Amino acid sequence: MYQEYLEFAKEIANKAKEIMLKYFNEDNKSSYKEDKTIVTIADKEINDYLIKRVKNIYPEHSVDGEEEQFGNSKMVWVCDPIDGTAMYARGIPVSVFSLALVNDGEPILGVVMDPFSDSLYSAIIGEGAYLNGEEIHVSNIDLDDKRSVAHFDMAPWAEYNIYDAIKELGKKTYFVGIGSVIRASMCVATGDFNLVIFPLIAHKNVDIAAVKVIVEEAGGKVTDLFGDEQRYDRDINGAIVSNGVVHEEAINAIKKSLINLK
């Protein structure tokens, strides 16, 4: 049954690719939400398409999309139509579509589509992670390795002030912000990055649900900011996405920085 669900998720991902490419560098009718983030016609069209398809194929399931929701069940399709919308709206090709099927809070499969490189990342729990059908794995690179690259989402409004932790960890690794936490997390899954730190909470399960299953099936680790497991059918407590090797060091730096703020 999971394979059937995965094929459905891939169908939605390919439709999302089509929509994203259709509007890219066109008049995308961007607008700003209350939190000052951008939403485009492409975001809404993808979210609407997902809800329509779920209603037709799996009416007993629900949808938790970043732009619109449908239903209320334990089986929920958690979707970020476009992660990296600020980049997308400006014609910068760093954004992805993300979709996970979450069963009673636990992601059981996920897909991420990068339309600009035609890259489809996918995973079913217990069955490995894949990029365009080829199995992928995280790296074993430590933070103080010269090859170490990490991503941090700059968010001054975030509930947790972890800038001291970023400063401390930045003495070892090279931090970048590429404009999409999901795209950066796929770099962890393929071994190009070894750490992603994401400090946001409200309705940010849509950003991390698919990441959770894909990165962990690639051999990595995904927890909240403090190393705890969390549900992905509700608000999350931030996220640390890593190759597993550097996970505890990142957690300890974050805990230390928050203690020092008190």
Side-chain angles (χ1 to χ4, degrees), residues 79-90:
C79 176
D80 192 341
I82 301 178
D83 183 56
T85 311
M87 307 294 272
Y88 180 78
R90 291 170 173 82

Side-chain angles (χ1 to χ4, degrees), residues 43-129:
D43 289 274
K44 295 177 179 177
E45 193 168 310
I46 294 167
N47 210 137
D48 288 347
Y49 180 79
L50 172 62
I51 289 175
K52 178 182 177 181
R53 293 294 290 149
V54 170
K55 284 181 175 179
N56 287 340
I57 307 299
Y58 303 115
E60 71 280 11
H61 293 183
S62 57
V63 173
D64 183 4
E66 186 172 44
E67 309 308 331
E68 187 178 353
Q69 296 76 44
F70 156 73
N72 181 22
S73 71
K74 287 186 177 181
M75 293 286 276
V76 52
W77 294 91
V78 177
C79 176
D80 192 341
I82 301 178
D83 183 56
T85 311
M87 307 294 272
Y88 180 78
R90 291 170 173 82
I92 303 169
V94 183
S95 50
V96 295
F97 164 82
S98 174
L99 179 63
L101 180 58
V102 176
N103 182 11
D104 196 20
E106 180 184 14
I108 57 175
L109 62 86
V111 298
V112 169
M113 169 61 80
D114 179 349
F116 306 108
S117 61
D118 198 19
S119 297
L120 179 62
Y121 304 82
S122 63
I124 295 174
I125 191 167
E127 298 187 15

Side-chain angles (χ1 to χ4, degrees), residues 133-148:
E134 297 292 327
E135 194 163 8
I136 54 176
H137 302 279
V138 300
S139 74
N140 61 356
I141 296 172
D142 290 313
L143 285 178
D144 57 2
D145 190 300
K146 64 182 179 181
R147 297 168 294 172
S148 178

